[in-house]
Amino acid sequence: MTASAHAAHLAQLNVATLLHPFDDPRMAPFVEMLDPVNAAADGAPGFVWRLVEEGAADATGLRPAGEDVVVNLSVWQTQEALWDFSYRSGHLEVMRRRREWFERHVQAHLVLWWVPAGHRPTVAEALERLTDLRAHGPSPRAFTFASAYTAAEAAQHLQAGPPAQPEEAARSAGPVPTVPAGETR
Amino acid sequence: MKDIDAIAMLQDPVRRRLYEYVAAQGREVGRNEAAEAAGVARTLAAHHLDRLTEAGLLESGSRRLTGRSGPGAGRPAKVYTRARTERSVSLPARDYLTAAELLAEAAEEAGLDAVLRAAAGRRGEALRGSAAPCGGLEEAMEMLADRGYEPYLEGGEGGEDAGGAEGDQGVDGAGAVTGAAARVVRMRNCPFHAVAEHFPPLVCGMNLALLEGLFGVDGSVRARMDARPGECCVVIETSKNNER
């Protein structure tokens, strides 16, 4: 392990709104893929941590963002590691079929941000980042695959402090990253 | 170097053979091996390999080809791999990539995955035309090679992970395939790479549908998604390996 080589790790949150309740037969193919895909994540190069509900194998039972919204929160050593797992592993098959199981999100539903190595982001922290992304568009605090920032850029930015809060930004920001890469839309 | 100049480098037949050989291996290739494959002297191969590297078509590094390290392991040798940079030339200048990205972005925003997959499936069928369903993996490889997928056979022994192509013997087009049943055709190249990187689920789904159309669903081979880093997302396998 080269833990010292990675002072910062990449956290990711994505939210997905279920089209049907979890026990609906139409969700069965998705539910069947959960365990193998999660196991693949745990064994993937660069995987650090993922949120799991206490006493469960995954976080699908936690619904911090709404009754029918499942959240997926994890930490990776690098952006490349996360990308390769998301789109170059068995996980891609889940993504390919996402519209069978999840609603299309108009707003961003995947957010990436850098955390100090060893830090385990909380759900609240993660949802905050998503809100930030939706309100202000991609920034070193909260970004997407298509508009990514490096850990160094994020560190530099942190010293500069957070920006003011433009209330209407969410609406006026226009191309809030509808950017597709990495989304479960 | 401009794309057109880099591509013009391949006009030289020896250089072209060397480039194609290195590209087809999908791993680092030493000078001796490349020279032998191209049927030229080592010094000539070295010269051309370095020219190709200067042009940005290959990348070079140095490795101890003995696989050993430390003192006594021998001097590192120069090795070559294909550069990942994409080169293309259109005369007159056209920009299909931007068009593809805009269309993909619109399809993504509108959630048109199913429509795109249906269109891709029809296109695959049309490409197959009236030809009989693909007869086997060998034939599938030819069809894939024609479409730029750079197929290679990954061999058997139930290997979850063959650990890289390193030890695998190459497959000669003519050579009959023998050995274990669990052979699959993998593809080193994604013809839709640039768009697939930006819109993976959408474009990879399209690619799978295209190949499903190309090979049909009732033939002796079938396409299945099995993505791994650095390659096309699909594998082709004989249908008997699975139910159906």
Side-chain angles (χ1 to χ4, degrees), chain A residues 18-53:
Chain A
L18 299 168
L19 280 179
H20 318 288
F22 232 62
D23 51 5
D24 187 296
R26 286 168 290 187
M27 293 301 290
F30 172 73
V31 175
E32 277 165 29
M33 277 196 263
L34 271 173
D35 282 349
V37 167
N38 281 329
D42 295 345
F47 170 83
V48 177
W49 170 86
R50 68 184 164 90
L51 177 70
V52 174
E53 186 184 3

Side-chain angles (χ1 to χ4, degrees), chain B:
Chain B
M1 187 174 286
K2 287 170 80 172
D3 282 1
I4 192 165
D5 298 321
I7 291 167
M9 297 274 302
L10 296 171
Q11 177 71 18
D12 182 288
V14 173
R15 230 176 259 158
R16 174 90 177 259
R17 285 209 299 280
L18 288 163
Y19 174 79
E20 285 177 347
Y21 179 76
V22 172
Q25 305 314 304
R27 59 175 166 81
E28 293 176 325
V29 172
R31 284 171 163 174
N32 283 340
E33 182 190 348
E36 209 167 293
V40 296
R42 183 179 183 282
T43 44
L44 183 65
H47 165 77
H48 283 310
L49 288 166
D50 287 335
R51 294 290 315 272
L52 288 165
T53 306
E54 283 161 30
L57 291 167
L58 296 181
E59 281 167 11
S60 69
S62 65
R63 290 279 175 283
R64 289 193 167 90
L65 295 177
T66 55
R68 288 176 288 143
S69 61
R75 211 156 56 87
K78 204 158 182 186
V79 291
Y80 302 85
T81 52
R82 173 164 58 181
R84 298 190 65 94
T85 328
E86 189 177 317
R87 304 279 192 178
S88 69
V89 170
S90 166
L91 298 173
R94 298 279 154 82
D95 182 8
Y96 300 113
L97 178 59
T98 300
E101 282 180 349
L102 289 171
L103 290 169
E105 187 169 341
E108 177 84 33
E109 276 182 34
L112 296 181
D113 296 53
V115 182
L116 177 61
R117 284 208 291 264
R122 287 195 300 272
R123 173 62 68 95
E125 284 169 25
L127 289 171
R128 177 156 49 104
S130 54
C134 176
L137 292 183
E138 299 278 303
E139 196 184 327
M141 285 179 68
E142 280 172 35
M143 291 164 75
L144 292 166
D146 286 347
R147 309 218 62 78
Y149 284 95
E150 301 186 358
Y152 68 98
L153 206 53
E154 189 177 74
E157 348 313 308
E160 282 285 271
D161 182 11
E166 200 62 56
D168 267 13
Q169 10 349 46
V171 179
D172 264 290
V177 185
T178 55
R183 302 205 141 196
V184 297
V185 174
R186 292 192 165 272
M187 299 162 237
R188 285 194 216 291
N189 189 45
C190 167
F192 312 115
H193 179 77
V195 213
E197 290 265 301
H198 285 105
F199 306 87
L202 181 79
V203 176
C204 298
M206 174 195 84
N207 181 48
L208 175 63
L210 183 76
L211 292 173
E212 283 173 342
L214 188 64
F215 293 115
V217 286
D218 306 319
S220 63
V221 304
R222 62 165 212 165
R224 174 170 59 86
M225 191 162 264
D226 185 17
R228 51 157 87 157
E231 294 192 340
C232 171
C233 59
V234 172
V235 297
I236 306 296
E237 60 192 6
T238 56
S239 302
K240 291 155 227 147
N241 288 350
N242 296 274
E243 66 276 79
R244 189 194 259 292

Side-chain angles (χ1 to χ4, degrees), chain A residues 83 88 96 98-99 104 180, chain B residues 108-109 113 199 201 228:
Chain A
W83 199 91
R88 285 293 169 262
R96 184 180 72 91
R98 63 209 192 282
R99 307 232 190 276
R104 232 157 31 79
Chain B
E108 177 84 33
E109 276 182 34
D113 296 53
F199 306 87
R228 51 157 87 157

Side-chain angles (χ1 to χ4, degrees), chain A residues 50-131:
Chain A
R50 68 184 164 90
L51 177 70
V52 174
E53 186 184 3
E54 223 181 298
D58 56 52
T60 52
L62 299 169
R63 303 290 168 88
E67 189 90 325
D68 55 349
V69 180
V70 289
V71 301
N72 185 352
L73 173 58
S74 62
V75 175
W76 298 76
Q77 284 180 357
T78 63
Q79 186 180 318
E80 293 69 35
L82 172 60
W83 199 91
D84 274 347
F85 170 70
S86 302
Y87 302 121
R88 285 293 169 262
S89 79
H91 184 261
L92 177 63
E93 179 63 5
V94 180
M95 298 293 292
R96 184 180 72 91
R97 299 179 63 183
R98 63 209 192 282
R99 307 232 190 276
E100 296 174 35
W101 309 309
F102 304 108
E103 265 177 35
R104 232 157 31 79
H105 286 246
V106 179
Q107 287 185 299
H109 47 85
L110 172 121
V111 62
L112 309 174
W113 73 102
W114 292 103
V115 297
H119 176 71
R120 301 282 176 263
T122 62
V123 171
E125 174 190 342
L127 290 172
E128 228 173 79
R129 298 287 171 154
L130 184 63
T131 306

